Amino acid sequence: MMLTAEQLVANQKATVETLFELTNKAFAGVEKLVELNLQVAKASMSEVAETAKAAMSVKDAQELLSLQASLLQPAAEKAAAYGRHLYDIAAATNAELTRAAEAQIADAQGKFMATVDTAVKSAPAGSENAVALVKSAMAAANNAYESVNKAAKQAADVAEANFQAMTNTAVKAAQSAPKPRRAATAA
């Protein structure tokens, strides 16, 4: 069975709409990354100014060491938070793109199976084996796709758990780092 001109136009229109939808989702993810980086840049500029002022008011080496130590934990926590935000944006964008792609694949599979069913109804006598082979191949391809998709989701879950564990370990290590003791100053 051949596709009609209307079906071809409809398929092309759906493909273009899907392309624009996916592009918009990707741009939304990029916008979130830019917004996050602008927020980090603004916060960093004010923190650098505060740190510079504090460093210029230091009177001795011990006070400088204390200042440095007081900056380590917040820096580690901010780096971990930044990494978490990056991961969340990437994961959310990927999830949206995956959902859209899965919907497109499901739609294409449905259309293909409908075309096969229509062809089967008008198939000449004696082509049952060929039809069964096509349906079997389609079922095997669907099963393979579902297996790969399931494995990819499991790998993403493991990666997220590992990322969370590393972030928590880094923050705890920064929090438990020994802080230099201030020496008593002679009057």
Side-chain angles (χ1 to χ4, degrees):
M1 175 175 177
M2 297 216 21
L3 293 175
T4 65
E6 292 83 18
Q7 289 172 322
L8 287 173
V9 169
N11 284 341
Q12 289 300 320
K13 182 179 176 185
T15 300
V16 169
E17 287 173 1
T18 300
L19 176 63
F20 282 119
E21 178 186 345
L22 293 175
T23 302
N24 285 334
K25 289 179 187 303
F27 274 117
V30 170
E31 285 175 347
K32 290 176 186 174
L33 287 175
V34 169
E35 182 180 327
L36 173 65
N37 286 330
L38 285 174
Q39 290 172 352
V40 168
K42 286 178 184 178
S44 295
M45 286 178 56
S46 65
E47 289 169 8
V48 166
E50 289 174 23
T51 302
K53 288 177 188 175
M56 289 183 188
S57 67
V58 167
K59 295 179 178 60
D60 60 24
Q62 188 62 37
E63 203 174 331
L64 180 61
L65 288 174
S66 293
L67 176 64
Q68 285 178 324
S70 70
L71 297 174
L72 287 179
Q73 179 181 343
E77 290 172 355
K78 288 174 187 168
Y82 177 76
R84 184 70 201 166
H85 283 340
L86 283 177
Y87 179 81
D88 288 345
I89 291 168
T93 301
N94 184 49
E96 287 185 36
L97 292 173
T98 299
R99 276 192 297 273
E102 286 173 349
Q104 186 69 17
I105 289 169
D107 183 53
Q109 287 174 339
K111 288 178 180 176
F112 180 76
M113 288 308 291
T115 302
V116 168
D117 287 341
T118 302
V120 166
K121 290 176 186 171
S122 61
S127 62
E128 294 82 11
N129 289 341
V131 169
L133 183 63
V134 169
K135 284 187 172 185
S136 177
M138 226 11 230
N142 284 341
N143 288 339
Y145 170 76
E146 288 173 10
S147 295
V148 168
N149 197 20
K150 184 178 178 183
K153 286 180 181 179
Q154 288 173 341
D157 290 344
V158 168
E160 182 172 0
N162 287 341
F163 180 80
Q164 188 65 40
M166 287 187 326
T167 300
N168 291 340
T169 301
V171 170
K172 287 177 185 174
Q175 290 172 344
S176 65
K179 301 197 181 351
R181 297 184 332 164
R182 295 189 120 184
T185 55

